[in-house]
Amino acid sequence: MGSLHIKAIFLLLAIAITPSTAWTVRILNRLSHKKVLFAHCRSGDDDLGPQYIKHRDEFKFSFGVNLFRTTLFWCYMSKGRKSQASFDVFWPSGDAKKHGGIDHLSTWTVNEKAVWVIRDDGIYLKIRDPGGDAFKNDYIDEILYLRWQPKR
């Protein structure tokens, strides 16, 4: 095999394993009394570092889903000295049963945004209208995904 063939094979492999879909996760601080939200998010490959999200502000990050669709991001959050939460903010298609029946990849389209709303009573996930306009981000509901846990 000539070097041109080998280069072509490597180029095709590089294209095949490069993530083609951009996903964005948004975390909105909607805590009362101007509380700052602490969040530390990571995946098996990326540590996004500690984030201090001001009241009414947001933290967002984008990434590509890997070829095997096993990309998983999780976050630890704290809303003060007494309350904390640790949960997955993005998971691959097919893991919906582990996540309250919510399956990101089968219900959302390319370039959609996962929107987490952090409130005093818990952590909510915004649900997009499947029949809505993806470019307008038509959201129909927020479901309570997780309640805060006491710190130990």
Side-chain angles (χ1 to χ4, degrees):
M1 222 186 252
S3 68
L4 183 61
H5 287 100
I6 292 173
K7 287 179 183 177
I9 290 171
F10 279 117
L11 178 62
L12 288 174
L13 283 173
I15 291 169
I17 63 173
T18 301
S20 61
T21 304
W23 294 86
T24 300
V25 171
R26 294 175 58 208
I27 299 167
L28 311 178
N29 179 354
R30 298 301 181 255
L31 297 171
S32 65
H33 307 295
K34 297 188 179 183
K35 290 180 191 166
V36 173
L37 173 69
F38 172 81
H40 192 158
C41 301
R42 60 183 72 179
S43 72
D45 298 322
D46 298 301
D47 184 340
L48 304 178
Q51 305 293 322
Y52 295 90
I53 308 165
K54 295 177 185 176
H55 177 69
R56 306 295 297 169
D57 207 352
E58 72 177 71
F59 167 61
K60 68 181 176 180
F61 58 96
S62 298
F63 56 93
V65 174
N66 65 26
L67 177 66
F68 304 106
R69 293 188 174 261
T70 57
T71 302
L72 176 70
F73 272 92
W74 65 93
C75 295
Y76 167 82
M77 294 186 191
S78 174
K79 65 171 187 161
R81 289 183 245 179
K82 297 182 180 180
S83 300
Q84 65 182 359
S86 185
F87 63 102
D88 296 342
V89 294
F90 180 87
W91 52 86
S93 181
D95 281 353
K97 287 184 181 176
K98 294 184 210 173
H99 302 281
I102 304 164
D103 193 338
H104 284 21
L105 296 179
S106 68
T107 57
W108 292 359
T109 57
V110 175
N111 296 318
E112 275 304 320
K113 295 176 179 159
V115 180
W116 295 94
V117 182
I118 313 305
R119 299 184 188 274
D120 291 320
D121 64 337
I123 295 161
Y124 292 79
L125 177 60
K126 281 188 164 239
I127 302 297
R128 192 177 73 78
D129 180 358
D133 184 343
F135 296 104
K136 291 182 180 176
N137 289 321
D138 293 332
Y139 293 99
I140 55 173
D141 203 1
E142 290 178 4
I143 60 165
L144 178 62
Y145 181 75
L146 185 68
R147 294 205 182 273
W148 292 101
Q149 300 297 314
K151 280 189 176 178
R152 296 177 192 192

